[in-house]
Each structure stands twice: as C-alpha cells, then as structure tokens.
Amino acid sequence: MAIDDLLDEHEQSERVLSWLRANGAGLIGGIALGLAAIGGWKWWGNHQLEQHGKAASEFQAAVDAVGAKDKAAATKVKALPAGMYQTLAALELAKSQVEADQRDVAIATLQGIKTDDAAMADIVTQRLARLLIDAKKPAEAVKLLGKSTSPMAIEVRGDAQFALGKADLARNEYNAALGKLDQASPRRRLLELKLTEAGGTPVKPEAKS
C-alpha cells in the first residue's frame, strides 16, 4: 500500500473521529429518541387494546342493565363514551322503553343519540320517526326524514304522509319504496297493503318468459 494511501486513510479516520466527537451526542440522542418512539408506539397499541376492552365491558354491563330493567340502565348508557357502543346501547334502551309503554321517554332517548355513522343514523331516524307518528306528530316525522332515500325511510315517510291525510303523497312514497325493494323482499307484501289502503294499486311484477 502506498504511503499516500496510508495518509489518506489516516486523514479519513481523523475526520470520522472528529465528526463523532462533534455529533456523537446528537447521534446517540437520535437513536434514543427512535427507540423511545418504538416503545411509545407499542405502549399506545397496548393502551388502545385496554381501552377497547374496557369500553366493551362497560357496554355489556349497560345492555345487561337494560335487559334487567334496572333503574340505573339509562345512567349507565349515558355514561358510555361517545361512539358506536353508546349508540347501540341507546337503541336497546329506547326499545326497552317502548316495550314498557314509555314512548315519550324513548323519543327523548333517540333524540339524544349522536352518531357520525350514516347507516346507524338512518336507523335512529327511522325509529324516531315511527315514534313521532305514534305520538301524533307526523309533520315532525316528515321533517326529520327529509330526503332520506333508503326503502325503509321512504316507507316511514309514506306512513307520516298518510297520517297527515295526504294519501296522494303517501302513495308516491310507497311506490318509490316498492321500486327500491327486491321482488323477493318480505316487506313487499306489507308495503303493497299500505299502498292499497292509501288508494293505490300495487303493480304486479311481469312474468318471466
């Protein structure tokens, strides 16, 4: 190996050592931060699992209280963290209240549900609208349903229009709902009966050749 090569290697070694002396603390700190971040991520994952398990346990306790008709059931449902668990528990609570002839209380329970899930919000709206119709408040039900496009929502809107004495609008809604249902749907028969009651005539499906 030539002397020039040895000098070059020596210079390179010195430069590396100088850089480490100048930046070693930062390098070590960076590694430490990286390890801490990994540890923190693992801790967060375990924390999330623990929180999920706790929420599931609280949800089950609330649902059990509803089933047992515990007087503290409503309090336990309200104490659940906002989210799907609380929404599902509140739906069970409202169902139990309806069965106990506490319609107005059930209405208040459903009105208190806040959810960002579109499908769940549609279910809550439909159940609330049905109770409003039963409470002789069909106009509120129509307003609540707005322009909902699911077959069930359209059917309930038809029920509200019929309760308001607007048979022509009710027929339109029932026909629209029927148009969205599969021919084999078990709800078709009920919808056809409602349409007939509103003065309409169900269209028979064309026979397949």
Side-chain angles (χ1 to χ4, degrees), residues 16-149:
V16 170
L17 289 173
S18 296
W19 185 88
L20 284 173
R21 280 192 289 270
N23 301 285
L27 181 64
I28 293 171
I31 293 172
L33 284 173
L35 291 174
I38 292 171
W41 179 253
K42 288 182 177 178
W43 174 87
W44 176 249
N46 290 334
H47 176 70
Q48 288 292 87
L49 286 174
E50 288 177 4
Q51 290 297 103
H52 180 73
K54 180 182 178 182
S57 178
E58 291 175 349
F59 165 75
Q60 190 59 56
V63 171
D64 288 345
V66 170
K69 303 190 186 308
D70 188 337
K71 292 182 179 179
T75 301
K76 291 183 178 180
V77 170
K78 290 180 181 179
L80 291 172
M84 188 59 71
Y85 281 139
Q86 188 183 61
T87 298
L88 291 172
L91 284 171
E92 279 298 309
L93 177 62
K95 179 183 176 183
S96 175
Q97 290 165 340
V98 170
E99 292 172 348
D101 293 324
Q102 298 176 326
R103 183 194 60 211
D104 292 343
V105 177
I107 288 175
T109 296
L110 292 174
Q111 289 175 330
I113 295 176
K114 308 297 181 184
T115 177
D116 295 326
D117 185 274
M120 190 60 67
D122 196 40
I123 291 172
V124 173
T125 298
Q126 290 169 31
R127 294 191 182 184
L128 179 53
R130 289 184 187 280
L131 289 181
L132 288 172
I133 295 170
D134 186 65
K136 311 301 181 187
K137 299 177 180 179
E140 290 185 27
V142 172
K143 183 178 180 180
L144 176 67
L145 290 164
K147 297 182 179 180
S148 298
T149 58

Side-chain angles (χ1 to χ4, degrees), residues 146-169:
K147 297 182 179 180
S148 298
T149 58
S150 68
M152 287 291 290
I154 296 173
E155 177 186 342
V156 178
R157 194 162 56 226
D159 294 343
Q161 296 290 12
F162 188 72
L164 285 168
K166 300 177 180 180
D168 54 337
L169 294 180

Side-chain angles (χ1 to χ4, degrees), residues 163-182:
L164 285 168
K166 300 177 180 180
D168 54 337
L169 294 180
R171 288 195 297 271
N172 291 340
E173 300 289 9
Y174 292 146
N175 277 318
L178 282 167
K180 286 178 170 286
L181 287 179
D182 187 88

